[in-house]
Amino acid sequence: MNRKILIVTGDGGESYETLYAVHRFQEEGDTVVIAAPSKRRLNLVMHDFEPGWDTYIERPGYCLVSDLTIDEVVVDDYDAILLLGGRAPEYLRNHAALLEVVREFDRQGKWVFAICHGIQILVTAGLANNRTLTAYEHVRTEIEMGGGRYSTQQAVRDQNIVTAQTWQSHPEFYREVFACLIKAELV
C-alpha cells in the first residue's frame, strides 16, 4: 500500500512482536522504519509463560538493526507509529523526545498503535486519559492511574489509538490495524 510505518523498540523489545510487525507491514507493501534510542543492532527478547512461574519468563531473542534514532524522527514523514512491548518500554517511556513524538502523532490525528507493555509509553505520554485501552494484564493499573479505562478485549480501538494485550493478540490487533489504515486511505 506504500504507507510509511514507524516502529519503536529498543534493547529488551519483544522479538516476536517486532519481527511479526515488520513482516506483516512489508507483506502489505508498506515501508517500515525502526526507531530506537541509538542506531545499532538491538538485542530483542522472547517472553513466554512456563508452568510454575507467577509471571512470564524472558529468553534472548533475535536481533534487529534500528534505522534511525528517536531523536531523528520527523512525524510528518509517517502514516502511523507502532509502540512494541517487551521490557524496552520500561526505559523508553522516560525518553522525552519519544514522548513528544507520540504526542505529535496523536495531535495530528495519525494512527497510534501499541501492544503489550508498549502501552506504558502511551500512558506516560498522557494519552490514556479518557480512553479505553487494553494491554498486558499487569499494565492495567498504569492505564487506570493514567485516567484510562482498561478493557479485557484482545484489541481495542479508541479514536486514533489501537491497543492490544500481547503477541497472542496479533490476529485481532492486526485486523484492526489494517482496517484503520485502509479506512484512512479511503477518506
mmCIF file of all heavy atoms in Angstrom, residues 11-40:
data_model
loop_
_atom_site.group_PDB
_atom_site.id
_atom_site.type_symbol
_atom_site.label_atom_id
_atom_site.label_comp_id
_atom_site.label_asym_id
_atom_site.label_seq_id
_atom_site.Cartn_x
_atom_site.Cartn_y
_atom_site.Cartn_z
ATOM 1 N N ASP A 11 16.557 -2.273 23.054
ATOM 2 C CA ASP A 11 17.030 -3.486 23.715
ATOM 3 C C ASP A 11 15.956 -3.979 24.683
ATOM 4 O O ASP A 11 15.347 -3.185 25.403
ATOM 5 C CB ASP A 11 18.320 -3.219 24.490
ATOM 6 C CG ASP A 11 19.534 -3.103 23.582
ATOM 7 O OD1 ASP A 11 19.549 -3.756 22.521
ATOM 8 O OD2 ASP A 11 20.471 -2.371 23.949
ATOM 9 N N GLY A 12 15.724 -5.267 24.680
ATOM 10 C CA GLY A 12 14.695 -5.837 25.540
ATOM 11 C C GLY A 12 13.311 -5.770 24.924
ATOM 12 O O GLY A 12 12.329 -6.147 25.564
ATOM 13 N N GLY A 13 13.205 -5.294 23.679
ATOM 14 C CA GLY A 13 11.921 -5.303 22.984
ATOM 15 C C GLY A 13 11.518 -6.739 22.666
ATOM 16 O O GLY A 13 12.366 -7.611 22.487
ATOM 17 N N GLU A 14 10.234 -6.978 22.601
ATOM 18 C CA GLU A 14 9.718 -8.326 22.331
ATOM 19 C C GLU A 14 10.018 -8.721 20.883
ATOM 20 O O GLU A 14 9.553 -8.090 19.939
ATOM 21 C CB GLU A 14 8.216 -8.370 22.619
ATOM 22 C CG GLU A 14 7.505 -9.619 22.178
ATOM 23 C CD GLU A 14 8.068 -10.912 22.754
ATOM 24 O OE1 GLU A 14 8.251 -11.008 23.985
ATOM 25 O OE2 GLU A 14 8.319 -11.830 21.948
ATOM 26 N N SER A 15 10.802 -9.776 20.733
ATOM 27 C CA SER A 15 11.281 -10.246 19.434
ATOM 28 C C SER A 15 10.138 -10.609 18.483
ATOM 29 O O SER A 15 10.109 -10.185 17.334
ATOM 30 C CB SER A 15 12.199 -11.452 19.660
ATOM 31 O OG SER A 15 12.770 -11.890 18.477
ATOM 32 N N TYR A 16 9.201 -11.395 18.963
ATOM 33 C CA TYR A 16 8.117 -11.855 18.085
ATOM 34 C C TYR A 16 7.236 -10.687 17.663
ATOM 35 O O TYR A 16 6.850 -10.589 16.495
ATOM 36 C CB TYR A 16 7.296 -12.945 18.784
ATOM 37 C CG TYR A 16 6.245 -13.556 17.899
ATOM 38 C CD1 TYR A 16 6.590 -14.200 16.709
ATOM 39 C CD2 TYR A 16 4.905 -13.493 18.240
ATOM 40 C CE1 TYR A 16 5.623 -14.758 15.889
ATOM 41 C CE2 TYR A 16 3.938 -14.051 17.434
ATOM 42 C CZ TYR A 16 4.291 -14.678 16.256
ATOM 43 O OH TYR A 16 3.326 -15.223 15.449
ATOM 44 N N GLU A 17 6.923 -9.794 18.595
ATOM 45 C CA GLU A 17 6.112 -8.630 18.231
ATOM 46 C C GLU A 17 6.821 -7.786 17.180
ATOM 47 O O GLU A 17 6.192 -7.275 16.250
ATOM 48 C CB GLU A 17 5.824 -7.773 19.468
ATOM 49 C CG GLU A 17 4.859 -8.400 20.435
ATOM 50 C CD GLU A 17 4.690 -7.615 21.711
ATOM 51 O OE1 GLU A 17 5.165 -6.459 21.802
ATOM 52 O OE2 GLU A 17 4.074 -8.164 22.637
ATOM 53 N N THR A 18 8.119 -7.647 17.304
ATOM 54 C CA THR A 18 8.892 -6.815 16.385
ATOM 55 C C THR A 18 8.939 -7.426 14.992
ATOM 56 O O THR A 18 8.583 -6.773 13.999
ATOM 57 C CB THR A 18 10.317 -6.605 16.916
ATOM 58 O OG1 THR A 18 10.249 -6.051 18.237
ATOM 59 C CG2 THR A 18 11.104 -5.676 16.008
ATOM 60 N N LEU A 19 9.376 -8.656 14.908
ATOM 61 C CA LEU A 19 9.528 -9.283 13.589
ATOM 62 C C LEU A 19 8.186 -9.520 12.911
ATOM 63 O O LEU A 19 8.063 -9.352 11.698
ATOM 64 C CB LEU A 19 10.330 -10.574 13.711
ATOM 65 C CG LEU A 19 11.780 -10.362 14.166
ATOM 66 C CD1 LEU A 19 12.487 -11.693 14.346
ATOM 67 C CD2 LEU A 19 12.531 -9.458 13.212
ATOM 68 N N TYR A 20 7.188 -9.876 13.683
ATOM 69 C CA TYR A 20 5.861 -10.063 13.102
ATOM 70 C C TYR A 20 5.382 -8.746 12.483
ATOM 71 O O TYR A 20 4.878 -8.725 11.356
ATOM 72 C CB TYR A 20 4.870 -10.552 14.162
ATOM 73 C CG TYR A 20 3.534 -10.936 13.587
ATOM 74 C CD1 TYR A 20 3.273 -12.245 13.203
ATOM 75 C CD2 TYR A 20 2.521 -9.987 13.400
ATOM 76 C CE1 TYR A 20 2.048 -12.601 12.663
ATOM 77 C CE2 TYR A 20 1.296 -10.324 12.866
ATOM 78 C CZ TYR A 20 1.052 -11.640 12.504
ATOM 79 O OH TYR A 20 -0.157 -11.979 11.960
ATOM 80 N N ALA A 21 5.551 -7.656 13.220
ATOM 81 C CA ALA A 21 5.109 -6.350 12.719
ATOM 82 C C ALA A 21 5.847 -5.967 11.441
ATOM 83 O O ALA A 21 5.231 -5.561 10.454
ATOM 84 C CB ALA A 21 5.316 -5.281 13.788
ATOM 85 N N VAL A 22 7.170 -6.098 11.470
ATOM 86 C CA VAL A 22 7.966 -5.749 10.281
ATOM 87 C C VAL A 22 7.489 -6.548 9.074
ATOM 88 O O VAL A 22 7.205 -5.981 8.010
ATOM 89 C CB VAL A 22 9.472 -5.979 10.544
ATOM 90 C CG1 VAL A 22 10.271 -5.893 9.246
ATOM 91 C CG2 VAL A 22 9.997 -4.980 11.568
ATOM 92 N N HIS A 23 7.371 -7.838 9.229
ATOM 93 C CA HIS A 23 6.977 -8.692 8.099
ATOM 94 C C HIS A 23 5.535 -8.439 7.668
ATOM 95 O O HIS A 23 5.239 -8.415 6.471
ATOM 96 C CB HIS A 23 7.180 -10.168 8.455
ATOM 97 C CG HIS A 23 8.614 -10.502 8.668
ATOM 98 N ND1 HIS A 23 9.024 -11.519 9.482
ATOM 99 C CD2 HIS A 23 9.754 -9.941 8.182
ATOM 100 C CE1 HIS A 23 10.341 -11.581 9.495
ATOM 101 N NE2 HIS A 23 10.804 -10.627 8.713
ATOM 102 N N ARG A 24 4.651 -8.238 8.624
ATOM 103 C CA ARG A 24 3.240 -8.036 8.287
ATOM 104 C C ARG A 24 3.053 -6.746 7.485
ATOM 105 O O ARG A 24 2.334 -6.724 6.489
ATOM 106 C CB ARG A 24 2.404 -8.014 9.573
ATOM 107 C CG ARG A 24 0.918 -7.974 9.350
ATOM 108 C CD ARG A 24 0.414 -9.251 8.663
ATOM 109 N NE ARG A 24 -0.952 -9.092 8.259
ATOM 110 C CZ ARG A 24 -1.338 -8.608 7.071
ATOM 111 N NH1 ARG A 24 -0.441 -8.237 6.170
ATOM 112 N NH2 ARG A 24 -2.605 -8.485 6.776
ATOM 113 N N PHE A 25 3.706 -5.669 7.910
ATOM 114 C CA PHE A 25 3.591 -4.420 7.149
ATOM 115 C C PHE A 25 4.256 -4.558 5.781
ATOM 116 O O PHE A 25 3.734 -4.065 4.781
ATOM 117 C CB PHE A 25 4.192 -3.241 7.924
ATOM 118 C CG PHE A 25 3.315 -2.754 9.049
ATOM 119 C CD1 PHE A 25 3.717 -2.879 10.364
ATOM 120 C CD2 PHE A 25 2.088 -2.160 8.783
ATOM 121 C CE1 PHE A 25 2.923 -2.422 11.401
ATOM 122 C CE2 PHE A 25 1.269 -1.706 9.813
ATOM 123 C CZ PHE A 25 1.695 -1.846 11.133
ATOM 124 N N GLN A 26 5.389 -5.224 5.720
ATOM 125 C CA GLN A 26 6.054 -5.427 4.435
ATOM 126 C C GLN A 26 5.190 -6.254 3.486
ATOM 127 O O GLN A 26 5.172 -5.988 2.279
ATOM 128 C CB GLN A 26 7.419 -6.089 4.632
ATOM 129 C CG GLN A 26 8.436 -5.152 5.239
ATOM 130 C CD GLN A 26 9.751 -5.827 5.580
ATOM 131 O OE1 GLN A 26 9.834 -7.049 5.708
ATOM 132 N NE2 GLN A 26 10.796 -5.030 5.742
ATOM 133 N N GLU A 27 4.480 -7.237 4.012
ATOM 134 C CA GLU A 27 3.557 -8.030 3.173
ATOM 135 C C GLU A 27 2.527 -7.144 2.494
ATOM 136 O O GLU A 27 2.102 -7.419 1.378
ATOM 137 C CB GLU A 27 2.798 -9.053 4.026
ATOM 138 C CG GLU A 27 3.569 -10.265 4.419
ATOM 139 C CD GLU A 27 2.771 -11.174 5.337
ATOM 140 O OE1 GLU A 27 1.683 -10.790 5.818
ATOM 141 O OE2 GLU A 27 3.246 -12.282 5.581
ATOM 142 N N GLU A 28 2.143 -6.080 3.173
ATOM 143 C CA GLU A 28 1.147 -5.155 2.631
ATOM 144 C C GLU A 28 1.768 -4.111 1.705
ATOM 145 O O GLU A 28 1.061 -3.244 1.207
ATOM 146 C CB GLU A 28 0.403 -4.457 3.773
ATOM 147 C CG GLU A 28 -0.471 -5.380 4.595
ATOM 148 C CD GLU A 28 -1.631 -5.966 3.812
ATOM 149 O OE1 GLU A 28 -2.237 -5.250 2.981
ATOM 150 O OE2 GLU A 28 -1.933 -7.150 4.031
ATOM 151 N N GLY A 29 3.081 -4.165 1.519
ATOM 152 C CA GLY A 29 3.760 -3.202 0.664
ATOM 153 C C GLY A 29 4.132 -1.913 1.365
ATOM 154 O O GLY A 29 4.473 -0.918 0.711
ATOM 155 N N ASP A 30 4.069 -1.911 2.684
ATOM 156 C CA ASP A 30 4.401 -0.713 3.452
ATOM 157 C C ASP A 30 5.903 -0.625 3.703
ATOM 158 O O ASP A 30 6.597 -1.641 3.756
ATOM 159 C CB ASP A 30 3.675 -0.731 4.807
ATOM 160 C CG ASP A 30 2.168 -0.703 4.647
ATOM 161 O OD1 ASP A 30 1.674 -0.042 3.699
ATOM 162 O OD2 ASP A 30 1.472 -1.340 5.460
ATOM 163 N N THR A 31 6.387 0.589 3.888
ATOM 164 C CA THR A 31 7.774 0.824 4.271
ATOM 165 C C THR A 31 7.828 0.886 5.790
ATOM 166 O O THR A 31 7.056 1.618 6.414
ATOM 167 C CB THR A 31 8.279 2.148 3.674
ATOM 168 O OG1 THR A 31 8.195 2.060 2.248
ATOM 169 C CG2 THR A 31 9.709 2.431 4.096
ATOM 170 N N VAL A 32 8.730 0.119 6.370
ATOM 171 C CA VAL A 32 8.876 0.062 7.818
ATOM 172 C C VAL A 32 10.200 0.708 8.206
ATOM 173 O O VAL A 32 11.238 0.420 7.607
ATOM 174 C CB VAL A 32 8.850 -1.404 8.308
ATOM 175 C CG1 VAL A 32 9.138 -1.490 9.790
ATOM 176 C CG2 VAL A 32 7.520 -2.053 7.967
ATOM 177 N N VAL A 33 10.159 1.566 9.220
ATOM 178 C CA VAL A 33 11.353 2.207 9.741
ATOM 179 C C VAL A 33 11.406 1.909 11.240
ATOM 180 O O VAL A 33 10.448 2.176 11.967
ATOM 181 C CB VAL A 33 11.323 3.730 9.490
ATOM 182 C CG1 VAL A 33 12.543 4.399 10.098
ATOM 183 C CG2 VAL A 33 11.240 4.015 7.992
ATOM 184 N N ILE A 34 12.526 1.356 11.690
ATOM 185 C CA ILE A 34 12.714 1.027 13.101
ATOM 186 C C ILE A 34 13.465 2.164 13.782
ATOM 187 O O ILE A 34 14.581 2.509 13.382
ATOM 188 C CB ILE A 34 13.521 -0.278 13.278
ATOM 189 C CG1 ILE A 34 12.887 -1.439 12.516
ATOM 190 C CG2 ILE A 34 13.712 -0.601 14.769
ATOM 191 C CD1 ILE A 34 11.553 -1.887 13.044
ATOM 192 N N ALA A 35 12.845 2.740 14.813
ATOM 193 C CA ALA A 35 13.484 3.800 15.597
ATOM 194 C C ALA A 35 13.782 3.272 16.992
ATOM 195 O O ALA A 35 12.977 2.542 17.581
ATOM 196 C CB ALA A 35 12.581 5.021 15.688
ATOM 197 N N ALA A 36 14.928 3.643 17.514
ATOM 198 C CA ALA A 36 15.372 3.223 18.847
ATOM 199 C C ALA A 36 16.205 4.363 19.438
ATOM 200 O O ALA A 36 16.511 5.339 18.751
ATOM 201 C CB ALA A 36 16.192 1.940 18.734
ATOM 202 N N PRO A 37 16.588 4.246 20.697
ATOM 203 C CA PRO A 37 17.412 5.306 21.284
ATOM 204 C C PRO A 37 18.727 5.543 20.544
ATOM 205 O O PRO A 37 19.211 6.671 20.502
ATOM 206 C CB PRO A 37 17.673 4.808 22.711
ATOM 207 C CG PRO A 37 16.490 3.945 23.009
ATOM 208 C CD PRO A 37 16.180 3.264 21.704
ATOM 209 N N SER A 38 19.284 4.493 19.950
ATOM 210 C CA SER A 38 20.501 4.657 19.151
ATOM 211 C C SER A 38 20.386 3.797 17.896
ATOM 212 O O SER A 38 19.608 2.847 17.852
ATOM 213 C CB SER A 38 21.748 4.269 19.958
ATOM 214 O OG SER A 38 21.654 2.941 20.411
ATOM 215 N N LYS A 39 21.148 4.168 16.883
ATOM 216 C CA LYS A 39 21.126 3.440 15.614
ATOM 217 C C LYS A 39 22.191 2.348 15.689
ATOM 218 O O LYS A 39 23.387 2.638 15.603
ATOM 219 C CB LYS A 39 21.407 4.403 14.462
ATOM 220 C CG LYS A 39 21.258 3.765 13.104
ATOM 221 C CD LYS A 39 21.486 4.787 12.004
ATOM 222 C CE LYS A 39 21.467 4.091 10.658
ATOM 223 N NZ LYS A 39 21.697 5.034 9.575
ATOM 224 N N ARG A 40 21.719 1.103 15.874
ATOM 225 C CA ARG A 40 22.638 -0.017 16.017
ATOM 226 C C ARG A 40 21.854 -1.329 16.051
ATOM 227 O O ARG A 40 20.635 -1.327 15.944
ATOM 228 C CB ARG A 40 23.457 0.128 17.290
ATOM 229 C CG ARG A 40 22.618 0.106 18.559
ATOM 230 C CD ARG A 40 23.477 0.176 19.809
ATOM 231 N NE ARG A 40 22.665 0.254 20.994
ATOM 232 C CZ ARG A 40 22.052 -0.779 21.558
ATOM 233 N NH1 ARG A 40 22.141 -1.983 21.047
ATOM 234 N NH2 ARG A 40 21.334 -0.618 22.653
#
